[in-house]
Amino acid sequence: MKMHSAWLASALLVLPVAATPALGGQSATRGGQPADALAANLALPFASDLTGARRVPIFAWIVDQAGSRNVWIGGPDIPAHARTTYAGDEGIEISEPQLSQDGRRLLFVRGGDAEFPEASAPNTGIAPEAPEQAVFVADVAGSQPPVKVGLGHGAAFSPDGARIAYTRKGEIWLWSGDAAARRLATVAGSVEDLQWSPDGRQLLFTEQRKGHSFIALLDVERRAIRYLGPTLGQSSDPIFSPDARQVAFIQYRDPPADLKDSTASFWSVRVADVADGAVRTIWSAPSGEGGQFAGTRGRNLFWTASGDLLLPWERTGWMHIYAVPAATGGAPRDLTPDANEVENFTPAPDGKAIVYAANAGNLDARQLWRTAIAGGKPTRLTQDDAFVFRPVFGGDRLAATATDAQQPAHMVLVEGMKPLGPVAIASTYSKPDTIVFTAADGVQIHGQLFRAKGPAPHPALIFVHGGPRRQMLPGFNPMHYYSNAYVRNQQFAALGYTVLSVNYRSGTNYGRAFREAPETGRGGASEYRDVLAGGQWLAKQPDVDPKRIGIWGGSWGGYLTALALARNSDLFAAGADFHGVHTLVRSGDPSLSPDAELKARELQWQSSPMGSIARWRSPVLIVHGDDDKNVDHDQSLLLARELTARGVPFEELSLPNERHEFFRYGDWLASYRATEAFFARTLKSGK
C-alpha cells in the first residue's frame, strides 16, 4: 500500500541528515554504523543520463536523491551544481537532458514516463491531477527558472541552438522562443529519434507504426514529409552524413516464430540520397552467425567525418564494432576484436577513433577503451578499481558514468577519473565475490556472492535480475532499479543473509550464444536451470542453512521467483515476487499452423509458474504497482487468486498508481522494508 503523506513528510525531514554528508564523499552512517542503513543508502544520490555539448567541454546529467530529481551541470572548468531546484518525493521523472552545441542552453523533459513517453501520464504521487509531461529549456549559466517549451518529449536543439523541435502523440512541434510553439506535422505513428540536419533545414526521425517503422524527413520551412526507402520491416538509427546530403539507417526483420534460430540474413545498412530519395544498400549481413540484428545499449549507427559508417555486429558471436566505408561499402573491419562484448560506443569528435565500454579480459567488469578507426591496438582508458559505462564527449573531453562496490553511479572525467561532481559513499559495503558454478546441463553461470555478517549457519537468498537482457556486476549498477537492488542485497548481508545474485542464461555480456540460449522463457524456461543450480550451490555451502533458502527478484526476476516456488518449494522456503510474470501464454502467432500454435501454447503454459502451481507450498510476498506498463498488474491479481484457492500463504503489497520501476523513493523503501520483514518471519526465524 502507499505510505501516508504525514509519515513521508516526517521521513524526508530526517533523511537529508544522513544523506547530505555523502554528497561530500562521507559515509551515510553515524558512528560507523547506519542509523537506518536501508533508508540512508537508498537515499544516496544516483546520477544518470549523462550528455555533453558538442563543441565545448560542458556536461549535464540527472541526479535522483531520495526521489527528488534535478539536472546538474559541470565540466573541467565548471564546478558541478544543480541547475534545477525541484524538491520532494513527488514521483515525477526528469529525462532526456540535452545541451546545445555551444553549451549555453539546456533542454530536459519533466513528467511522463521516459520508457513509455506516449502512454497515459503517470501519477505515482497521487496528485489531484496527473503531472503533465513537458519540455523545458534553461540557460546553462543562468539562475532563472527553466521555461516550459510545450507538452511533449523527444526534444532536439537546432544546430545553432535557437530552435527546439519536439514531439507529442505523433505530432512534431517547433519552438523558437519568440512566440508560442507551432505544430509542424502530424504522422500516423509515434515519432522517435528526432534530430536536425547539420544545416538546420530538415528534421530526421523514425516513425514507429504497428509492427514496422519508417525513416522520415521533414522539411521545416515547407512542412513537407518524405519517407526514405520504406520496407516491410523495421528501420532504425537514422543518421545524417556530415554534409547533410545523405541519410544512413539500419533495416531489419525478426525471424518467424518457428524459425527463430534461422541463420538467414535479416538486416542491412542502407543509404538514402536526400535530394532524390534514391536508396542503396551499403552492406547486408551475410547468413550465419550475426545474421539477426542485435544492438548495443545506445545508438547503433554513426557516420564519421572520415567517411566511415560505424555499426555493431555479432559475426564472432560477440558484440563488436565494425567500420564500413560509406561511399563504397565492402567488407566491415572489426575495430574491437579483443573486446569480448561491447556495451556501447561513440566516435571521437575528430572522427578518427571510437571509445567504447566493454568487458575485455574480464567478463564481470566494465572498462573504457579507445581505438583508431584506421586500425591499431586499442588503448585501455580506465582501470580495475571501478566499473565505467557509457562514454560521452563534451567538446574534446571524455566523461562517463562510474560505480564501484561502495559508490553509486556518478559522473567522471575519464582522464584521471576525476569526479565531475560530489560522490556518495556507502562505506560499510564490501565488494561481493565473483563466483562461477555449473548448471545441470553443463552451462557455466556467473554470479556475485554477498557474504553474510554474523554467526553461521546463515539463511540465504537467491537474487534474480529482470530483463532478462541484463548483467549484474560486483558493485553498484548504472541502472537505478538495480542500484536499489544492490543496496537491498548489501543490507540483507548485513542482517545475516548470504545472497547469491545469479546472471542466468538469456542475460547479456557473455556472448550471443548465452544471450540467445535455446529453450529460454516461453520456449522451456531453460534459464531456471541456472536459478535452481544457484540454490543447490548455496545449500552445499558449510555456512548456509539449507532449510532456510529464499529467492527474490523483479519483473523477469519475479517470474523466476514464482517459478522457483512453484517447482521447488522443497528447496526455496520463501520468496519475494516483484511485479512478476505468472502466465507466459500468448495469443496466436500467425506464422504458426494451428497444430504448431497449440503445441507452442502448451509449452508456454508449462514454462509458466501457473503450469506448476499445484506444487507450490512456500510463502511468498507479492509486490506490484497497479499502473505498471511493463508487466500487467493482472499477472499478480491472477497469482493472488490462485494461491488463495490452494491455501498457499502469501502477503501482498499493491501500490496504487505506481509504475514498473517505482517512481517514488517512498515506494522503494516501503517495498524493501516489507521484503525484509517478510524474510525475517519466514527465513531468519527458522520457521
Side-chain angles (χ1 to χ4, degrees), residues 385-461:
D385 56 351
F387 303 109
V388 191
F389 311 83
R390 304 169 185 166
V392 172
F393 279 98
D396 60 358
R397 300 296 295 274
L398 181 64
T401 304
T403 74
D404 62 23
Q406 294 187 327
Q407 298 180 131
H410 57 282
M411 303 311 172
V412 297
L413 289 169
V414 172
E415 184 179 0
M417 292 297 288
K418 179 181 178 182
L420 274 171
V423 180
I425 301 175
S427 61
T428 61
Y429 287 0
S430 300
K431 185 176 182 179
D433 296 334
T434 297
I435 67 164
V436 180
F437 57 94
T438 304
D441 58 0
V443 176
Q444 285 199 324
I445 305 301
H446 293 234
Q448 304 85 48
L449 186 67
F450 299 76
R451 295 192 178 275
K453 306 293 192 297
H458 301 290
L461 294 167

Side-chain angles (χ1 to χ4, degrees), residues 604-657:
Q604 291 166 8
W605 178 257
Q606 295 302 331
S607 303
S608 303
M610 284 297 299
S612 302
I613 199 165
R615 295 153 51 191
W616 190 321
R617 297 290 181 269
S618 296
V620 63
L621 169 67
I622 307 170
V623 181
H624 212 141
D626 87 325
D627 195 25
D628 192 326
K629 301 301 182 186
N630 299 76
V631 177
D632 198 299
H633 188 250
D634 286 352
Q635 292 279 340
S636 289
L637 298 180
L638 169 68
L639 181 61
R641 183 187 71 189
E642 298 295 329
L643 295 178
T644 298
R646 290 164 173 79
V648 177
F650 69 92
E651 298 178 24
E652 57 198 289
L653 185 61
S654 183
L655 302 169
N657 290 22

Side-chain angles (χ1 to χ4, degrees), residues 317-330:
W318 296 84
M319 187 72 74
H320 289 181
I321 306 306
Y322 291 77
V324 178
T328 60

